[in-house]
mmCIF file with all atom_site columns, all heavy atoms in Angstrom:
data_model
loop_
_atom_site.group_PDB
_atom_site.id
_atom_site.type_symbol
_atom_site.label_atom_id
_atom_site.label_alt_id
_atom_site.label_comp_id
_atom_site.label_asym_id
_atom_site.label_entity_id
_atom_site.label_seq_id
_atom_site.pdbx_PDB_ins_code
_atom_site.Cartn_x
_atom_site.Cartn_y
_atom_site.Cartn_z
_atom_site.occupancy
_atom_site.B_iso_or_equiv
_atom_site.pdbx_formal_charge
_atom_site.auth_seq_id
_atom_site.auth_comp_id
_atom_site.auth_asym_id
_atom_site.auth_atom_id
_atom_site.pdbx_PDB_model_num
ATOM 1   N N   . LEU A 1 71 ? -14.492 -20.518 -42.076 1.00 93.00 ? 71 LEU A N   1
ATOM 2   C CA  . LEU A 1 71 ? -14.979 -21.545 -42.997 1.00 93.00 ? 71 LEU A CA  1
ATOM 3   C C   . LEU A 1 71 ? -16.416 -21.285 -43.444 1.00 93.00 ? 71 LEU A C   1
ATOM 4   O O   . LEU A 1 71 ? -16.916 -21.944 -44.378 1.00 93.00 ? 71 LEU A O   1
ATOM 5   C CB  . LEU A 1 71 ? -14.866 -22.924 -42.360 1.00 93.00 ? 71 LEU A CB  1
ATOM 6   C CG  . LEU A 1 71 ? -13.496 -23.361 -41.915 1.00 93.00 ? 71 LEU A CG  1
ATOM 7   C CD1 . LEU A 1 71 ? -13.568 -24.687 -41.190 1.00 93.00 ? 71 LEU A CD1 1
ATOM 8   C CD2 . LEU A 1 71 ? -12.540 -23.450 -43.091 1.00 93.00 ? 71 LEU A CD2 1
ATOM 9   N N   . PHE A 1 72 ? -17.090 -20.343 -42.768 1.00 95.00 ? 72 PHE A N   1
ATOM 10  C CA  . PHE A 1 72 ? -18.523 -20.081 -43.065 1.00 95.00 ? 72 PHE A CA  1
ATOM 11  C C   . PHE A 1 72 ? -18.715 -18.584 -43.270 1.00 95.00 ? 72 PHE A C   1
ATOM 12  O O   . PHE A 1 72 ? -18.117 -17.750 -42.608 1.00 95.00 ? 72 PHE A O   1
ATOM 13  C CB  . PHE A 1 72 ? -19.391 -20.561 -41.898 1.00 95.00 ? 72 PHE A CB  1
ATOM 14  C CG  . PHE A 1 72 ? -19.283 -22.050 -41.654 1.00 95.00 ? 72 PHE A CG  1
ATOM 15  C CD1 . PHE A 1 72 ? -18.361 -22.536 -40.731 1.00 95.00 ? 72 PHE A CD1 1
ATOM 16  C CD2 . PHE A 1 72 ? -20.061 -22.938 -42.322 1.00 95.00 ? 72 PHE A CD2 1
ATOM 17  C CE1 . PHE A 1 72 ? -18.214 -23.892 -40.472 1.00 95.00 ? 72 PHE A CE1 1
ATOM 18  C CE2 . PHE A 1 72 ? -19.928 -24.305 -42.095 1.00 95.00 ? 72 PHE A CE2 1
ATOM 19  C CZ  . PHE A 1 72 ? -19.028 -24.784 -41.170 1.00 95.00 ? 72 PHE A CZ  1
ATOM 20  N N   . ARG A 1 73 ? -19.643 -18.256 -44.134 1.00 95.00 ? 73 ARG A N   1
ATOM 21  C CA  . ARG A 1 73 ? -20.075 -16.892 -44.390 1.00 95.00 ? 73 ARG A CA  1
ATOM 22  C C   . ARG A 1 73 ? -21.568 -16.799 -44.174 1.00 95.00 ? 73 ARG A C   1
ATOM 23  O O   . ARG A 1 73 ? -22.340 -17.523 -44.779 1.00 95.00 ? 73 ARG A O   1
ATOM 24  C CB  . ARG A 1 73 ? -19.741 -16.475 -45.829 1.00 95.00 ? 73 ARG A CB  1
ATOM 25  C CG  . ARG A 1 73 ? -20.279 -15.106 -46.242 1.00 95.00 ? 73 ARG A CG  1
ATOM 26  C CD  . ARG A 1 73 ? -19.819 -14.757 -47.654 1.00 95.00 ? 73 ARG A CD  1
ATOM 27  N NE  . ARG A 1 73 ? -20.335 -15.732 -48.642 1.00 95.00 ? 73 ARG A NE  1
ATOM 28  C CZ  . ARG A 1 73 ? -21.543 -15.684 -49.181 1.00 95.00 ? 73 ARG A CZ  1
ATOM 29  N NH1 . ARG A 1 73 ? -22.404 -14.729 -48.789 1.00 95.00 ? 73 ARG A NH1 1
ATOM 30  N NH2 . ARG A 1 73 ? -21.937 -16.551 -50.105 1.00 95.00 ? 73 ARG A NH2 1
ATOM 31  N N   . GLU A 1 74 ? -21.972 -15.937 -43.218 1.00 96.00 ? 74 GLU A N   1
ATOM 32  C CA  . GLU A 1 74 ? -23.390 -15.866 -42.914 1.00 96.00 ? 74 GLU A CA  1
ATOM 33  C C   . GLU A 1 74 ? -24.146 -15.042 -43.961 1.00 96.00 ? 74 GLU A C   1
ATOM 34  O O   . GLU A 1 74 ? -23.716 -13.972 -44.363 1.00 96.00 ? 74 GLU A O   1
ATOM 35  C CB  . GLU A 1 74 ? -23.581 -15.240 -41.529 1.00 96.00 ? 74 GLU A CB  1
ATOM 36  C CG  . GLU A 1 74 ? -25.045 -15.268 -41.086 1.00 96.00 ? 74 GLU A CG  1
ATOM 37  C CD  . GLU A 1 74 ? -25.248 -14.667 -39.694 1.00 96.00 ? 74 GLU A CD  1
ATOM 38  O OE1 . GLU A 1 74 ? -24.277 -14.202 -39.090 1.00 96.00 ? 74 GLU A OE1 1
ATOM 39  O OE2 . GLU A 1 74 ? -26.395 -14.652 -39.244 1.00 96.00 ? 74 GLU A OE2 1
ATOM 40  N N   . ILE A 1 75 ? -25.275 -15.576 -44.373 1.00 95.00 ? 75 ILE A N   1
ATOM 41  C CA  . ILE A 1 75 ? -26.181 -14.811 -45.295 1.00 95.00 ? 75 ILE A CA  1
ATOM 42  C C   . ILE A 1 75 ? -26.727 -13.617 -44.523 1.00 95.00 ? 75 ILE A C   1
ATOM 43  O O   . ILE A 1 75 ? -27.270 -13.792 -43.431 1.00 95.00 ? 75 ILE A O   1
ATOM 44  C CB  . ILE A 1 75 ? -27.340 -15.698 -45.777 1.00 95.00 ? 75 ILE A CB  1
ATOM 45  C CG1 . ILE A 1 75 ? -26.813 -16.892 -46.581 1.00 95.00 ? 75 ILE A CG1 1
ATOM 46  C CG2 . ILE A 1 75 ? -28.327 -14.896 -46.629 1.00 95.00 ? 75 ILE A CG2 1
ATOM 47  C CD1 . ILE A 1 75 ? -26.153 -16.512 -47.882 1.00 95.00 ? 75 ILE A CD1 1
ATOM 48  N N   . PRO A 1 76 ? -26.593 -12.394 -45.029 1.00 92.00 ? 76 PRO A N   1
ATOM 49  C CA  . PRO A 1 76 ? -27.039 -11.194 -44.303 1.00 92.00 ? 76 PRO A CA  1
ATOM 50  C C   . PRO A 1 76 ? -28.513 -11.332 -43.940 1.00 92.00 ? 76 PRO A C   1
ATOM 51  O O   . PRO A 1 76 ? -29.314 -11.872 -44.726 1.00 92.00 ? 76 PRO A O   1
ATOM 52  C CB  . PRO A 1 76 ? -26.791 -10.069 -45.274 1.00 92.00 ? 76 PRO A CB  1
ATOM 53  C CG  . PRO A 1 76 ? -25.730 -10.557 -46.192 1.00 92.00 ? 76 PRO A CG  1
ATOM 54  C CD  . PRO A 1 76 ? -25.944 -12.035 -46.315 1.00 92.00 ? 76 PRO A CD  1
ATOM 55  N N   . ARG A 1 77 ? -28.870 -10.776 -42.787 1.00 85.00 ? 77 ARG A N   1
ATOM 56  C CA  . ARG A 1 77 ? -30.263 -10.854 -42.363 1.00 85.00 ? 77 ARG A CA  1
ATOM 57  C C   . ARG A 1 77 ? -31.251 -10.190 -43.323 1.00 85.00 ? 77 ARG A C   1
ATOM 58  O O   . ARG A 1 77 ? -32.348 -10.688 -43.517 1.00 85.00 ? 77 ARG A O   1
ATOM 59  C CB  . ARG A 1 77 ? -30.403 -10.227 -40.983 1.00 85.00 ? 77 ARG A CB  1
ATOM 60  C CG  . ARG A 1 77 ? -29.736 -11.062 -39.861 1.00 85.00 ? 77 ARG A CG  1
ATOM 61  C CD  . ARG A 1 77 ? -30.209 -10.539 -38.518 1.00 85.00 ? 77 ARG A CD  1
ATOM 62  N NE  . ARG A 1 77 ? -29.540 -11.287 -37.438 1.00 85.00 ? 77 ARG A NE  1
ATOM 63  C CZ  . ARG A 1 77 ? -29.919 -11.193 -36.196 1.00 85.00 ? 77 ARG A CZ  1
ATOM 64  N NH1 . ARG A 1 77 ? -30.910 -10.419 -35.845 1.00 85.00 ? 77 ARG A NH1 1
ATOM 65  N NH2 . ARG A 1 77 ? -29.271 -11.881 -35.257 1.00 85.00 ? 77 ARG A NH2 1
ATOM 66  N N   . ASP A 1 78 ? -30.828 -9.073  -43.932 1.00 84.00 ? 78 ASP A N   1
ATOM 67  C CA  . ASP A 1 78 ? -31.771 -8.410  -44.828 1.00 84.00 ? 78 ASP A CA  1
ATOM 68  C C   . ASP A 1 78 ? -31.993 -9.149  -46.122 1.00 84.00 ? 78 ASP A C   1
ATOM 69  O O   . ASP A 1 78 ? -32.862 -8.810  -46.927 1.00 84.00 ? 78 ASP A O   1
ATOM 70  C CB  . ASP A 1 78 ? -31.296 -6.969  -45.108 1.00 84.00 ? 78 ASP A CB  1
ATOM 71  C CG  . ASP A 1 78 ? -29.893 -6.919  -45.720 1.00 84.00 ? 78 ASP A CG  1
ATOM 72  O OD1 . ASP A 1 78 ? -29.350 -8.000  -46.039 1.00 84.00 ? 78 ASP A OD1 1
ATOM 73  O OD2 . ASP A 1 78 ? -29.347 -5.824  -45.873 1.00 84.00 ? 78 ASP A OD2 1
ATOM 74  N N   . ALA A 1 79 ? -31.218 -10.197 -46.349 1.00 84.00 ? 79 ALA A N   1
ATOM 75  C CA  . ALA A 1 79 ? -31.425 -11.046 -47.515 1.00 84.00 ? 79 ALA A CA  1
ATOM 76  C C   . ALA A 1 79 ? -32.290 -12.273 -47.194 1.00 84.00 ? 79 ALA A C   1
ATOM 77  O O   . ALA A 1 79 ? -32.659 -13.024 -48.109 1.00 84.00 ? 79 ALA A O   1
ATOM 78  C CB  . ALA A 1 79 ? -30.089 -11.487 -48.113 1.00 84.00 ? 79 ALA A CB  1
ATOM 79  N N   . GLN A 1 80 ? -32.589 -12.469 -45.925 1.00 79.00 ? 80 GLN A N   1
ATOM 80  C CA  . GLN A 1 80 ? -33.342 -13.649 -45.514 1.00 79.00 ? 80 GLN A CA  1
ATOM 81  C C   . GLN A 1 80 ? -34.848 -13.339 -45.615 1.00 79.00 ? 80 GLN A C   1
ATOM 82  O O   . GLN A 1 80 ? -35.457 -12.809 -44.719 1.00 79.00 ? 80 GLN A O   1
ATOM 83  C CB  . GLN A 1 80 ? -32.952 -14.033 -44.081 1.00 79.00 ? 80 GLN A CB  1
ATOM 84  C CG  . GLN A 1 80 ? -31.474 -14.362 -43.942 1.00 79.00 ? 80 GLN A CG  1
ATOM 85  C CD  . GLN A 1 80 ? -31.103 -14.646 -42.484 1.00 79.00 ? 80 GLN A CD  1
ATOM 86  O OE1 . GLN A 1 80 ? -31.921 -14.707 -41.615 1.00 79.00 ? 80 GLN A OE1 1
ATOM 87  N NE2 . GLN A 1 80 ? -29.798 -14.809 -42.258 1.00 79.00 ? 80 GLN A NE2 1
ATOM 88  N N   . VAL A 1 81 ? -35.418 -13.754 -46.742 1.00 74.00 ? 81 VAL A N   1
ATOM 89  C CA  . VAL A 1 81 ? -36.832 -13.429 -47.017 1.00 74.00 ? 81 VAL A CA  1
ATOM 90  C C   . VAL A 1 81 ? -37.751 -14.609 -46.773 1.00 74.00 ? 81 VAL A C   1
ATOM 91  O O   . VAL A 1 81 ? -38.935 -14.518 -46.982 1.00 74.00 ? 81 VAL A O   1
ATOM 92  C CB  . VAL A 1 81 ? -37.017 -12.976 -48.492 1.00 74.00 ? 81 VAL A CB  1
ATOM 93  C CG1 . VAL A 1 81 ? -36.217 -11.668 -48.689 1.00 74.00 ? 81 VAL A CG1 1
ATOM 94  C CG2 . VAL A 1 81 ? -36.517 -14.068 -49.441 1.00 74.00 ? 81 VAL A CG2 1
ATOM 95  N N   . ALA A 1 82 ? -37.167 -15.740 -46.342 1.00 73.00 ? 82 ALA A N   1
ATOM 96  C CA  . ALA A 1 82 ? -38.013 -16.959 -46.278 1.00 73.00 ? 82 ALA A CA  1
ATOM 97  C C   . ALA A 1 82 ? -38.065 -17.532 -44.878 1.00 73.00 ? 82 ALA A C   1
ATOM 98  O O   . ALA A 1 82 ? -38.222 -18.723 -44.688 1.00 73.00 ? 82 ALA A O   1
ATOM 99  C CB  . ALA A 1 82 ? -37.399 -17.991 -47.213 1.00 73.00 ? 82 ALA A CB  1
ATOM 100 N N   . ARG A 1 83 ? -37.983 -16.707 -43.860 1.00 72.00 ? 83 ARG A N   1
ATOM 101 C CA  . ARG A 1 83 ? -38.009 -17.208 -42.474 1.00 72.00 ? 83 ARG A CA  1
ATOM 102 C C   . ARG A 1 83 ? -39.328 -17.951 -42.209 1.00 72.00 ? 83 ARG A C   1
ATOM 103 O O   . ARG A 1 83 ? -40.391 -17.350 -42.381 1.00 72.00 ? 83 ARG A O   1
ATOM 104 C CB  . ARG A 1 83 ? -37.829 -16.085 -41.469 1.00 72.00 ? 83 ARG A CB  1
ATOM 105 C CG  . ARG A 1 83 ? -37.811 -16.573 -40.028 1.00 72.00 ? 83 ARG A CG  1
ATOM 106 C CD  . ARG A 1 83 ? -37.532 -15.382 -39.093 1.00 72.00 ? 83 ARG A CD  1
ATOM 107 N NE  . ARG A 1 83 ? -37.410 -15.872 -37.733 1.00 72.00 ? 83 ARG A NE  1
ATOM 108 C CZ  . ARG A 1 83 ? -38.433 -15.867 -36.859 1.00 72.00 ? 83 ARG A CZ  1
ATOM 109 N NH1 . ARG A 1 83 ? -39.621 -15.418 -37.263 1.00 72.00 ? 83 ARG A NH1 1
ATOM 110 N NH2 . ARG A 1 83 ? -38.256 -16.306 -35.634 1.00 72.00 ? 83 ARG A NH2 1
#
Side-chain angles (χ1 to χ4, degrees):
L71 302 175
F72 301 91
R73 174 177 61 83
E74 186 179 1
I75 298 295
R77 290 194 181 191
D78 57 7
Q80 298 176 7
V81 296
R83 182 176 184 265

